[in-house]
Amino acid sequence: MKFVRNTWYPLVWSHDVGRSLITRKLFGEDLLLYRTESGSVAAMLDLCPHRLAPLSMGRLKGDAVECGYHGMTFGADGRCTRIPGQPIIGAKSGIKTYPTAERMGLIWVWLGDQSSADPKRIFSLAQHDDPNWCITYGDALRIDANYLNLADNLCDPSHVTFVHPTTLGNSAGENVPVQNRDIEDGVLVWRWIKSAPVIPFFAQYGSFDGPVDRWHYYYYHAPCVAVIDFGTIASNKTVSEDERGRGLQMFACHLITPVDENTCVDHWLTVRNFSLNDDAASERIHADLRIAFNEDKSILEAIQRKEAQYPDFRRVTLGVDAAPHRMRRKVDAMIAAETERAA
Amino acid sequence: MKFVRNTWYPLVWSHDVGRSLITRKLFGEDLLLYRTESGSVAAMLDLCPHRLAPLSMGRLKGDAVECGYHGMTFGADGRCTRIPGQPIIGAKSGIKTYPTAERMGLIWVWLGDQSSADPKRIFSLAQHDDPNWCITYGDALRIDANYLNLADNLCDPSHVTFVHPTTLGNSAGENVPVQNRDIEDGVLVWRWIKSAPVIPFFAQYGSFDGPVDRWHYYYYHAPCVAVIDFGTIASNKTVSEDERGRGLQMFACHLITPVDENTCVDHWLTVRNFSLNDDAASERIHADLRIAFNEDKSILEAIQRKEAQYPDFRRVTLGVDAAPHRMRRKVDAMIAAETERAA
Amino acid sequence: MKFVRNTWYPLVWSHDVGRSLITRKLFGEDLLLYRTESGSVAAMLDLCPHRLAPLSMGRLKGDAVECGYHGMTFGADGRCTRIPGQPIIGAKSGIKTYPTAERMGLIWVWLGDQSSADPKRIFSLAQHDDPNWCITYGDALRIDANYLNLADNLCDPSHVTFVHPTTLGNSAGENVPVQNRDIEDGVLVWRWIKSAPVIPFFAQYGSFDGPVDRWHYYYYHAPCVAVIDFGTIASNKTVSEDERGRGLQMFACHLITPVDENTCVDHWLTVRNFSLNDDAASERIHADLRIAFNEDKSILEAIQRKEAQYPDFRRVTLGVDAAPHRMRRKVDAMIAAETERAA
């Protein structure tokens, strides 16, 4: 499977990485992760180069990892520092490591050319670090589907009406077409559903007597970050599209780990401008989103199985495919550019 | 896997199809099934042609199915009737449907040339609709074996002694050879075991003081219907082979769904001329048959696994193989004739 | 997978074979096993040559096996003795059998040229039949790893320190190199760890006030037998290397069944010169070894999975690999010699 190498991939929640050996899979490679004594995060291939024992079955000794089979030991930089019973250590005895960085509550890892691994290139949502907004971290939702099938879903507001009828959508949106355009590193897809009944989700956090306007702005930053800006405001409060912050507004961020060709993990979190410091609201919101995102998981996993069953089925293209197609062309172009640079 | 296309396949018990969306697999294809408001049964590929979501995850709206991902909607005839947010529906937006019919308590489906899908061609047992006979519907027994391996078993009375020693057979039959001949659409295999003790199964439904004659007539209607006429009569009541109805007689019908190359479902039912309107007898008979057919299931599944393990094993042919071989030649000839017509 | 054919393979504990039909897999072949009325052990392919039903689903009748599908019957020598309903038995109607023998509490089987199947060639430990030694039979430990990966482990005392730190090893051994040399049918690997603290395992069975010497002698008899002679003696009792019996000495025998390319079964037993007739000691020793051998199982199974995941990974060779490499060259040579003889 081809994938973009020179980008930061979100891999695991920061709070899951400490002074024990854990592993996460990325594009089929098992990575070993742990914090060094100074608190930085080491990432290396989870594989002793001697007999291929997983290093994660070994022991952390200071900042080094000792293999659990014969005690071969590797520093956080991957260099072999010890071979028990043997004075000489061959020059090629090390193991591959990967740069890491922390951002938005996650550990990110870089698989590509290490000289380009600048943490400034990691996606960042301004509101994440703004005290006027409430951040709540969600789950690491495993989805047995290719990450680009999840990306399709996250470039596609029109599915909300049909997949999430009892949580995030209602029938008012059924026939409202979506718009899309390029943004610097991806695609923006959006629509407004105007003068409609409030959806159950927002009804809990504001008092709405009459019809409301509801927006969805789906920002997709290729290849693995999606931010959904969605919110609602009473239709009689005239608001320009850029003044969405005057309504109830929430960013649902999806930071996606491509585990392998058939699996991804959706690390999701929310940032909102209402019910700040209200833990009960946070819990309720996440309970609702957990239901909704599991609705996506169900349909995406079913599609993944059908794609395997019908690899040559000739599909029908609809208008709603414009943005997902644009997103996939972006990812393809990134891969093609890397292939060309390498050649 | 090659199979006969222009034939009616039994697929699911009629009473399992109603106003909800269900699926059944036939030769590896997932079919969506539901009743329309008028009570007829719609069958179509369980696959939205847009993103390959299973239509069975969507909703039934009147006689149409709405996909659960983007609301694309299909009539019972497979034609696309709606694409939310999009006024124009392309001519090739439909999904494949299949003719269905009801007979013998089952829904039958036709995969071949639709102009030939005449329900009169469906197998029918005269006694099924005769008030002098008692019909009882059995199970949908899943067997992890190729349907022709089950067909072998159903052209083969000689296995009864060894597979069903405590239910349907006894040692009297061990050495009685079987006879077979062609019938119009298949094979007939039979034997009489004369002047033997009554088997436990029939001892419950008649009083037999002395030896009995027992018959098995296995009618195989290629490719997927087997009717086993078996019964018993006191040996001292002279009866010609055509007057079997004077004894205890039962038809065990096996209506087989070839699910895929390694799996089939045996829908079985019984029709008998004794203990009419006796629910307790029906329950007892089916409990006995359930044990017996699960004995067949065990051995057929074990054989299926061994065939996969030893694909090139050179087998020994026995006399009892004559009828199964004849049956397989019939099925092969039907497939060959279709291939020739298509070319 | 190529393997040595002309050798005796340990297959199953003697006490597990009786007058019922059991199966064990060896190099991917399912073997049917049972005792005849005279107590000898019959071994044959678990496959009826008629329809490939497993004979183990049939019935034992005297010394013969009757297939559970059509009653085809085979003697302990594999010859077909009966085909119900059919007077003539074809000359090629038999099933393959294998020579067996009992030794060291196990049934051994021979897959190669039957004229060479001399039971004297089966491995035998002299102390096994010596009343001055206490024999205790252990488990049949299934390990989802190739048997040669287990053999690597059993030619490799250096792993003990890292895999079994709380049971069989301690840190004193970390840097002590191992020695190895050829023996007639395999490899011997050994080391002494001198003037070190006693390990927890031996501390229970002797009183050691000061430092001890500890030895490991790993005898590998290719392809499937490993005997580990390990023991300990107070360092102040001068003992030559050949007088190990003056200390606490134990032979841990590993009699390995190669089930298939990815699985083996380690039948292990112990023979010791201390705490004779002490059942509580036997139980404690086996409980300790059970923990230790499951530690090996964990790491060997993890390695097996990694080898499948990284088939082309370029490995680093260490000094401790000398003996395992020597062992593998022995096995390869045995296979090559057979191939040559066959050509």
Side-chain angles (χ1 to χ4, degrees):
Chain A
M1 179 192 186
K2 286 205 170 176
F3 60 92
V4 181
R5 294 200 73 89
N6 290 288
T7 194
W8 288 98
Y9 284 102
L11 187 61
V12 53
W13 291 114
S14 288
H15 58 71
D16 285 335
V17 187
R19 292 286 293 161
S20 59
L21 301 175
I22 66 166
T23 65
R24 287 296 184 280
K25 203 185 278 275
L26 182 62
F27 289 115
E29 299 278 20
D30 289 310
L31 304 186
L32 170 71
L33 298 159
Y34 61 91
R35 283 192 196 273
T36 62
E37 291 177 335
S38 69
S40 67
V41 173
M44 63 184 72
L45 200 57
D46 183 30
L47 197 69
C48 179
H50 173 220
R51 287 272 178 82
L52 310 194
L55 291 173
S56 55
M57 291 180 77
R59 294 166 198 87
L60 190 55
K61 296 207 157 173
D63 283 356
V65 182
E66 179 189 88
C67 177
Y69 203 178
H70 297 91
M72 204 172 169
T73 304
F74 305 89
D77 61 358
R79 279 199 299 184
C80 179
T81 56
R82 182 182 176 221
I83 300 175
Q86 178 172 330
I88 295 169
I89 297 175
K92 296 186 174 173
S93 302
I95 192 72
K96 191 168 171 50
T97 58
Y98 302 91
T100 67
E102 298 198 55
R103 182 74 55 87
M104 303 260 296
L106 280 159
I107 307 300
W108 302 65
V109 68
W110 178 273
L111 297 184
D113 170 19
Q114 301 205 357
S115 66
S116 314
D118 181 354
K120 288 194 197 118
R121 293 173 58 177
I122 301 178
F123 171 78
S124 187
L125 183 76
Q127 291 85 346
H128 180 270
D129 302 309
D130 180 336
N132 295 315
W133 292 75
C134 173
I135 302 109
T136 316
Y137 298 103
D139 299 333
L141 178 66
R142 178 190 166 100
I143 302 176
D144 286 330
N146 185 283
Y147 80 103
L148 292 175
N149 283 7
L150 173 57
D152 283 342
N153 179 285
L154 292 169
C155 293
D156 172 16
S158 65
H159 80 272
V160 173
T161 312
F162 300 98
V163 178
H164 313 300
T166 61
T167 48
L168 304 180
N170 63 15
S171 62
E174 287 196 12
N175 291 307
V176 182
V178 297
Q179 294 174 272
N180 74 80
R181 67 172 174 81
D182 273 9
I183 54 175
E184 190 198 343
D185 58 351
V187 177
L188 170 62
V189 200
W190 75 98
R191 69 172 173 181
W192 283 81
I193 296 161
K194 299 212 170 177
S195 295
V198 68
I199 61 169
F201 182 82
F202 283 121
Q204 306 170 71
Y205 305 106
S207 53
F208 300 94
D209 296 332
V212 300
D213 294 353
R214 175 159 51 101
W215 68 84
H216 288 92
Y217 283 76
Y218 284 46
Y219 295 87
Y220 202 84
H221 305 278
C224 278
V225 172
V227 177
I228 297 175
D229 163 5
F230 70 115
T232 210
I233 193 164
S235 300
N236 59 12
K237 295 191 185 174
T238 318
V239 60
S240 84
E241 299 197 346
D242 293 340
E243 294 172 304
R244 302 193 290 275
R246 287 174 51 200
L248 297 183
Q249 187 175 21
M250 172 181 286
F251 298 95
C253 301
H254 297 265
L255 308 166
I256 305 169
T257 308
V259 171
D260 60 27
E261 207 163 337
N262 304 307
T263 317
C264 60
V265 172
D266 182 4
H267 298 90
W268 57 267
L269 60 93
T270 58
V271 182
R272 68 179 191 266
N273 70 354
F274 56 90
S275 304
L276 306 183
N277 305 316
D278 178 346
D279 286 351
S282 296
E283 278 179 31
R284 219 160 46 229
I285 288 169
H286 277 221
D288 282 347
L289 290 180
R290 194 165 284 125
I291 291 168
F293 297 156
N294 274 290
E295 289 168 338
D296 290 314
K297 172 182 163 82
S298 292
I299 207 148
L300 290 170
E301 293 185 342
I303 284 173
Q304 189 74 20
R305 289 189 296 268
K306 289 291 184 187
E307 287 184 343
Q309 190 179 352
Y310 294 96
D312 303 319
F313 194 89
R314 189 140 173 259
R315 303 179 185 204
V316 171
T317 300
L318 305 186
V320 298
D321 296 326
H325 285 188
R326 193 187 279 267
M327 175 277 299
R328 283 173 177 263
R329 284 195 304 271
K330 286 255 170 180
V331 175
D332 287 346
M334 291 168 84
I335 295 169
E338 286 191 352
T339 308
E340 195 169 310
R341 267 199 308 276
Chain B
M1 179 192 187
K2 286 204 169 178
F3 58 93
V4 181
R5 295 201 71 88
N6 290 288
T7 194
W8 288 98
Y9 284 102
L11 187 61
V12 53
W13 291 115
S14 288
H15 58 72
D16 285 335
V17 186
R19 290 288 292 162
S20 58
L21 302 174
I22 66 166
T23 66
R24 287 296 184 280
K25 202 185 278 274
L26 182 61
F27 289 115
E29 298 279 20
D30 288 312
L31 304 186
L32 170 72
L33 297 158
Y34 60 91
R35 282 191 196 274
T36 62
E37 290 177 335
S38 69
S40 66
V41 173
M44 64 184 72
L45 201 57
D46 183 29
L47 196 70
C48 179
H50 173 219
R51 289 270 178 82
L52 309 194
L55 291 173
S56 54
M57 292 179 76
R59 293 165 198 90
L60 189 56
K61 296 207 157 173
D63 284 355
V65 182
E66 179 189 89
C67 177
Y69 203 179
H70 297 91
M72 204 171 169
T73 304
F74 306 88
D77 61 358
R79 279 199 300 184
C80 179
T81 56
R82 182 181 175 222
I83 300 174
Q86 178 172 331
I88 295 168
I89 297 174
K92 297 184 174 173
S93 303
I95 191 72
K96 190 167 172 50
T97 58
Y98 302 91
T100 67
E102 298 198 57
R103 182 74 56 87
M104 304 260 296
L106 280 159
I107 307 301
W108 301 65
V109 68
W110 177 274
L111 298 184
D113 170 19
Q114 302 205 356
S115 66
S116 313
D118 181 354
K120 288 195 196 117
R121 294 173 58 179
I122 302 179
F123 171 80
S124 188
L125 182 77
Q127 291 84 346
H128 180 270
D129 303 307
D130 180 336
N132 295 314
W133 291 75
C134 173
I135 301 110
T136 316
Y137 298 103
D139 299 334
L141 178 65
R142 177 192 167 99
I143 302 177
D144 287 328
N146 185 284
Y147 80 103
L148 292 175
N149 283 7
L150 173 57
D152 283 342
N153 179 286
L154 292 168
C155 293
D156 171 17
S158 65
H159 80 272
V160 173
T161 312
F162 299 97
V163 179
H164 313 299
T166 62
T167 49
L168 305 181
N170 63 15
S171 61
E174 288 196 12
N175 291 305
V176 182
V178 298
Q179 295 176 271
N180 74 79
R181 67 170 174 82
D182 273 9
I183 54 175
E184 190 198 342
D185 57 350
V187 177
L188 170 62
V189 200
W190 75 98
R191 70 173 173 179
W192 283 80
I193 296 162
K194 298 211 170 175
S195 294
V198 68
I199 61 168
F201 182 83
F202 284 122
Q204 307 170 70
Y205 305 106
S207 53
F208 300 94
D209 296 332
V212 299
D213 294 352
R214 177 159 49 102
W215 68 82
H216 288 92
Y217 283 76
Y218 283 47
Y219 295 87
Y220 202 85
H221 306 278
C224 277
V225 172
V227 177
I228 296 176
D229 164 5
F230 69 117
T232 209
I233 192 163
S235 301
N236 60 10
K237 296 190 182 175
T238 318
V239 61
S240 85
E241 299 199 346
D242 293 340
E243 295 173 305
R244 301 193 291 274
R246 287 173 51 200
L248 298 184
Q249 187 174 22
M250 172 181 286
F251 298 95
C253 302
H254 297 266
L255 308 166
I256 305 170
T257 307
V259 172
D260 60 28
E261 207 163 337
N262 304 307
T263 317
C264 61
V265 172
D266 181 6
H267 300 90
W268 57 268
L269 60 93
T270 58
V271 182
R272 69 179 190 265
N273 71 354
F274 56 89
S275 303
L276 307 182
N277 306 316
D278 178 346
D279 286 350
S282 296
E283 278 179 31
R284 218 161 45 230
I285 288 168
H286 277 222
D288 282 347
L289 291 179
R290 194 165 283 125
I291 291 168
F293 298 156
N294 274 289
E295 289 168 336
D296 290 314
K297 172 182 163 82
S298 292
I299 205 146
L300 290 169
E301 294 185 342
I303 284 173
Q304 189 74 21
R305 289 189 296 267
K306 290 290 185 189
E307 286 184 343
Q309 190 179 352
Y310 294 96
D312 302 319
F313 194 89
R314 190 140 173 259
R315 305 180 185 203
V316 171
T317 299
L318 305 186
V320 297
D321 297 325
H325 286 188
R326 193 187 279 267
M327 175 278 298
R328 283 174 179 261
R329 284 195 304 271
K330 285 256 171 180
V331 175
D332 288 345
M334 291 168 84
I335 295 169
E338 286 191 351
T339 308
E340 195 170 311
R341 268 199 306 277
Chain C
M1 179 192 186
K2 287 205 170 174
F3 59 91
V4 181
R5 294 200 73 89
N6 289 288
T7 193
W8 288 98
Y9 284 102
L11 187 61
V12 54
W13 291 115
S14 288
H15 58 71
D16 285 336
V17 186
R19 291 286 293 160
S20 60
L21 301 174
I22 66 166
T23 65
R24 288 296 185 277
K25 203 185 277 274
L26 182 62
F27 289 114
E29 299 279 20
D30 288 311
L31 304 187
L32 170 71
L33 298 159
Y34 61 91
R35 284 192 193 273
T36 62
E37 291 177 336
S38 69
S40 66
V41 174
M44 64 184 72
L45 201 57
D46 183 29
L47 197 70
C48 179
H50 173 222
R51 288 271 178 82
L52 310 195
L55 291 173
S56 54
M57 292 180 77
R59 293 165 199 91
L60 188 56
K61 296 207 157 172
D63 284 354
V65 182
E66 179 189 90
C67 177
Y69 203 0
H70 297 91
M72 203 172 172
T73 303
F74 306 89
D77 61 358
R79 279 199 300 184
C80 179
T81 56
R82 182 181 177 221
I83 300 174
Q86 178 172 330
I88 296 168
I89 297 175
K92 297 186 174 172
S93 301
I95 192 71
K96 191 169 171 51
T97 58
Y98 303 91
T100 65
E102 298 197 56
R103 181 76 55 87
M104 305 260 296
L106 280 158
I107 306 301
W108 302 65
V109 69
W110 177 274
L111 298 184
D113 170 19
Q114 302 205 357
S115 66
S116 314
D118 181 354
K120 289 196 195 115
R121 293 174 58 178
I122 301 179
F123 171 79
S124 187
L125 183 75
Q127 291 83 347
H128 181 269
D129 302 309
D130 180 337
N132 295 314
W133 291 75
C134 174
I135 301 111
T136 316
Y137 298 104
D139 299 333
L141 178 66
R142 179 193 166 100
I143 302 177
D144 286 329
N146 185 284
Y147 80 104
L148 292 175
N149 284 6
L150 173 56
D152 283 342
N153 179 285
L154 293 167
C155 294
D156 172 18
S158 65
H159 81 272
V160 173
T161 312
F162 300 98
V163 178
H164 312 301
T166 61
T167 48
L168 304 181
N170 64 16
S171 62
E174 287 196 11
N175 290 306
V176 182
V178 298
Q179 293 175 272
N180 75 79
R181 66 173 173 81
D182 272 10
I183 54 175
E184 190 198 341
D185 58 349
V187 176
L188 170 62
V189 200
W190 75 98
R191 70 172 172 179
W192 283 80
I193 296 161
K194 299 212 170 175
S195 295
V198 67
I199 62 167
F201 183 81
F202 284 120
Q204 307 170 69
Y205 306 106
S207 55
F208 301 93
D209 296 333
V212 299
D213 294 353
R214 177 158 51 101
W215 67 83
H216 288 91
Y217 283 75
Y218 283 48
Y219 296 86
Y220 202 84
H221 306 278
C224 277
V225 171
V227 176
I228 297 175
D229 165 4
F230 69 116
T232 210
I233 192 164
S235 300
N236 59 10
K237 296 189 185 175
T238 316
V239 60
S240 84
E241 299 198 345
D242 293 340
E243 295 172 304
R244 301 195 290 275
R246 288 173 50 199
L248 297 184
Q249 187 175 21
M250 172 180 286
F251 298 95
C253 303
H254 297 265
L255 308 166
I256 305 169
T257 308
V259 171
D260 60 27
E261 207 163 337
N262 304 307
T263 316
C264 60
V265 172
D266 182 5
H267 299 89
W268 58 268
L269 61 93
T270 57
V271 181
R272 68 179 191 266
N273 70 353
F274 57 90
S275 304
L276 308 182
N277 305 315
D278 178 347
D279 287 351
S282 297
E283 278 180 30
R284 219 161 44 229
I285 287 169
H286 277 221
D288 282 346
L289 291 179
R290 195 166 283 124
I291 291 169
F293 298 156
N294 274 291
E295 289 168 338
D296 291 313
K297 173 182 162 83
S298 292
I299 206 147
L300 290 169
E301 293 186 340
I303 284 172
Q304 189 73 21
R305 290 190 294 269
K306 290 291 184 186
E307 287 184 344
Q309 190 179 352
Y310 294 96
D312 303 319
F313 194 88
R314 190 142 172 257
R315 302 179 187 204
V316 171
T317 299
L318 305 186
V320 297
D321 296 326
H325 284 188
R326 194 188 278 266
M327 175 278 298
R328 283 174 177 262
R329 283 196 304 270
K330 286 256 171 181
V331 175
D332 287 347
M334 291 168 83
I335 295 169
E338 287 191 350
T339 307
E340 196 171 307
R341 268 198 308 276

